[in-house]
Amino acid sequence: MRFKKKKKVSPTVYTEEICPSCGEKKKRNFDEGDYIYKIASNCKKCSKPTMISAIYGEYPIEKQKESQEL
């Protein structure tokens, strides 16, 4: 019997910004130095500063299916 080695798949890390004034949300790739409640870029809708509300990782969908099948 041969066993296949599981491939290690690392998640893609995202940062979510929210505008406290108008509620606009924006998802972007994580940048070094990001942290929760950090004042980030200006809102595209109302031009006021946004705040980082979440940092999280997502695994690619194809990779999730492959690892579940093994």
Side-chain angles (χ1 to χ4, degrees):
M1 244 172 123
R2 290 187 178 176
F3 294 99
K4 292 182 182 179
K5 288 186 178 181
K6 289 186 180 181
K7 296 179 185 177
K8 292 190 178 188
V9 180
S10 57
T12 304
V13 182
Y14 294 103
T15 299
E16 186 177 279
E17 296 178 12
I18 190 166
C19 178
S21 299
C22 67
E24 182 75 17
K25 287 185 179 180
K26 176 183 163 186
K27 176 180 161 183
R28 62 171 174 81
N29 286 332
F30 176 80
D31 289 330
E32 190 72 31
D34 283 352
Y35 57 91
I36 304 294
Y37 303 121
K38 177 182 176 185
I39 301 299
S41 61
N42 288 336
C43 178
K44 290 182 180 181
K45 203 173 190 181
C46 67
S47 299
K48 294 192 178 179
T50 61
M51 182 174 53
I52 295 176
S53 61
I55 298 173
Y56 58 93
E58 290 181 352
Y59 287 94
I61 294 172
E62 303 89 34
K63 301 294 181 181
Q64 285 178 349
K65 289 179 183 177
E66 287 177 11
S67 64
Q68 289 175 355
E69 291 174 1
L70 297 177

